[in-house]
């Protein structure tokens, strides 16, 4: 069986095309989007040209500014049957922690449900600012040991544990042992 690569081109090229498409859809200038996201106009320009190397925080801020789910930045066209091996996909790193997310599946336009793999190592807590209103996150810890959930009430998790929390409030994910990874589903309203 011929398997289609889950990423259509380098991640920077996919992100660049998605940012240009979504900014045009919103009818906003580079200056307006950069201002709303709290990033430099030159940073946004580099990202749209495919030459930037964005952090997870920058990409989330741009998604909030463009009122779009994060998955639209990384979601190339998909085959009817899709297999993504554990070492495949395009992980996007956080700037403040050893934490990476890899988009595994983007929800259909009517479902707004995206699936990610999280890989994290101990040392720094990944702190997430609130996402757009109505976002709910679901996390199932697959390996390791972690603290996850609302920033003011994180929950200790072991392999197989599940947590659901509001993503439109501050939240965290902290690996407590090497090799920690989880599956995350983000529902958008």
């Amino acid at each position: 069986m011929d398997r289609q690569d889950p990423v259509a081109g380098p991640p920077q090229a996919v992100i660049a095309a998605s940012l240009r498409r979504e900014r045009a859809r919103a009818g906003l200038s580079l200056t307006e989007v950069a201002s709303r996201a709290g990033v430099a106009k030159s940073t946004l320009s580099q990202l749209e040209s495919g030459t930037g190397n964005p952090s997870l925080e920058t990409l989330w801020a741009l998604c909030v500014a463009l009122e779009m789910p994060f998955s639209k930045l990384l979601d190339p066209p998909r085959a009817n049957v899709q297999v993504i091996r554990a070492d495949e996909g395009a992980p996007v790193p956080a700037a403040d922690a050893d934490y990476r997310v890899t988009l595994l599946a983007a929800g259909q336009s009517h479902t707004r449900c995206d699936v990610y793999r999280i890989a994290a190592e101990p040392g720094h807590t990944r702190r997430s600012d609130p996402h757009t209103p109505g976002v709910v996150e679901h996390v199932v810890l697959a390996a390791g040991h972690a603290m996850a959930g609302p920033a003011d009430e994180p929950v200790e998790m072991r392999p197989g544990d599940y947590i659901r929390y509001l993503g439109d409030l501050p939240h965290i994910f902290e690996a407590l042992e090497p090799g920690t990874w989880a599956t995350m589903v983000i529902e958008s309203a």
Side-chain angles (χ1 to χ4, degrees):
M1 178 171 90
D2 196 7
R3 183 171 53 85
Q4 184 177 3
D5 186 356
V7 178
Q12 290 85 356
V14 174
I15 290 168
S18 298
L19 284 173
R20 288 190 308 269
R21 179 189 67 238
E22 292 301 313
R23 188 171 60 79
R25 176 199 51 80
L28 299 171
S29 69
L30 275 170
T31 302
E32 289 171 308
V33 173
S35 176
R36 289 181 183 189
V39 301
K41 180 180 172 183
S42 60
T43 299
L44 179 55
S45 178
Q46 288 175 340
L47 293 176
E48 283 196 5
S49 69
T51 60
N53 189 17
S55 70
L56 181 62
E57 293 80 4
T58 298
L59 294 177
W60 273 107
L62 289 166
C63 288
V64 170
L66 289 166
E67 298 179 0
M68 63 183 277
F70 181 79
S71 62
K72 277 196 169 187
L73 285 179
L74 301 171
D75 190 34
R78 304 285 177 172
N80 287 338
V81 175
Q82 178 184 7
V83 175
I84 300 176
R85 302 292 179 200
D87 61 346
E88 295 177 339
V92 179
D96 59 352
D98 190 350
Y99 176 98
R100 297 161 305 285
V101 298
T102 303
L103 177 66
L104 299 177
Q108 302 295 324
S109 60
H110 61 282
T111 61
R112 312 248 342 196
C113 183
D114 306 320
V115 181
Y116 296 89
R117 179 181 26 220
I118 297 170
E121 297 297 328
H124 297 294
T125 301
R126 165 69 180 129
R127 298 184 186 284
S128 295
D129 290 330
H131 304 313
T132 54
V135 169
V136 175
E137 293 190 5
H138 305 262
V139 177
V140 177
L141 194 68
H145 182 199
M147 295 292 288
D152 59 350
E153 294 184 64
V155 174
E156 187 171 353
M157 297 182 69
R158 299 280 182 181
D161 290 351
Y162 162 82
I163 185 172
R164 174 192 180 275
Y165 53 89
L166 299 177
D168 57 5
L169 297 173
H171 50 283
I172 70 157
F173 188 95
E174 178 183 6
L176 300 176
E177 69 181 54
T180 296
W181 74 274
T183 300
M184 178 174 61
V185 175
I186 297 180
E187 289 180 80
S188 303

